[in-house]
Amino acid sequence: MLRPGQRWPRPAHRARAILETTDATAIGFDLGLVEVFPAAEEDERLAYLGPDLLGPDWDGAEAVRRLAAAPHAQIVVALADQRNLAGLGNVLVNEVCFLRGIRPDRPAGEVDLAAAVDLARRVIHANRDRVERTTTGDTRPGRRLWVYGRAGESCRRCGARIEHGRYGPNAVELRETYWCPNCQR
Ligand SMILES: [Zn+2]
């Protein structure tokens, strides 16, 4: 969230949606999908979404129940599925897997889902009002993330080379995925 007139943190050509009031500006950069619809349709349109990580009615137990219902799904795919829990983008999914020490291709049924969901909520809340998200706690450029976008670079924790692959719910919807082969099992 920016104040009106404040310098944008990324180039204007990457902005996809801008919402502005008299005292705040929210800019969506690099959004994969933007849909606009009348407020009256909100309940119906969003009924498929899982519990909202940033919502006042957050229900972690329900998110865990939904994840556990598909125990063979790869955890990186399950956490990004907005029907399980709503709010995590691909970057934070990758980072949550690193922070929990989980290889992204592990089946959800082998993962401590309650701990992963709890961490996801803490990470997303910590970044709610930040212009540039960080999971390392370091806001300096190039130091904000543990694994995402760092293929071939050294793990910040153990020094191993960060690996890269593509995972998704099907052969078309593949997302860039990064992990440390040593820290994540
Ligand atoms: Zn590592």
Side-chain angles (χ1 to χ4, degrees):
M1 204 77 79
L2 304 174
R3 290 181 303 281
Q6 192 178 347
R7 193 165 174 274
W8 290 10
R10 295 181 207 172
H13 72 264
R14 288 168 62 184
R16 296 292 177 269
I18 303 166
L19 296 175
E20 199 160 35
T21 67
T22 49
D23 47 28
T25 302
I27 306 165
F29 291 101
D30 302 326
L31 303 177
L33 176 69
V34 177
E35 284 188 87
V36 179
F37 50 81
E41 295 176 20
E42 184 175 350
D43 285 351
E44 186 188 342
R45 294 261 196 165
L46 303 184
Y48 73 96
L49 292 174
D52 180 358
L53 283 157
L54 287 170
D57 56 349
W58 164 246
D59 184 346
E62 174 63 12
V64 169
R65 193 191 65 75
R66 291 182 181 217
L67 289 164
H72 302 296
Q74 292 166 326
I75 188 65
V76 73
V77 176
L79 288 173
D81 188 335
Q82 306 295 305
R83 294 170 298 184
N84 291 330
L85 67 172
L88 281 185
N90 190 41
V91 174
L92 289 185
V93 168
N94 277 251
E95 296 292 296
V96 165
C97 286
F98 174 84
L99 287 164
R100 287 294 310 155
I102 307 163
R103 268 183 70 103
D105 60 346
R106 282 279 294 281
E110 293 180 4
V111 169
D112 182 342
L113 295 170
V117 165
D118 181 61
L119 179 67
R121 184 144 195 268
R122 282 187 280 133
V123 167
I124 208 164
H125 269 264
N127 281 286
R128 177 158 60 171
D129 298 322
R130 283 196 184 116
V131 172
E132 290 292 355
R133 78 192 137 211
T134 174
T135 56
T136 59
D138 194 329
T139 55
R140 287 174 289 177
R143 305 188 66 99
R144 294 170 185 142
L145 300 174
W146 289 102
V147 289
Y148 191 86
R150 302 192 63 241
E153 296 180 39
S154 300
C155 174
R156 300 189 195 283
R157 188 174 281 164
C158 77
R161 275 166 61 95
I162 300 298
E163 295 190 9
H164 169 247
R166 292 187 179 87
Y167 292 100
N170 53 56
V172 180
E173 299 174 69
L174 297 175
R175 300 188 189 92
E176 306 301 326
T177 306
Y178 304 85
W179 67 95
C180 171
N182 185 43
C183 293
Q184 294 171 255
R185 304 289 177 143

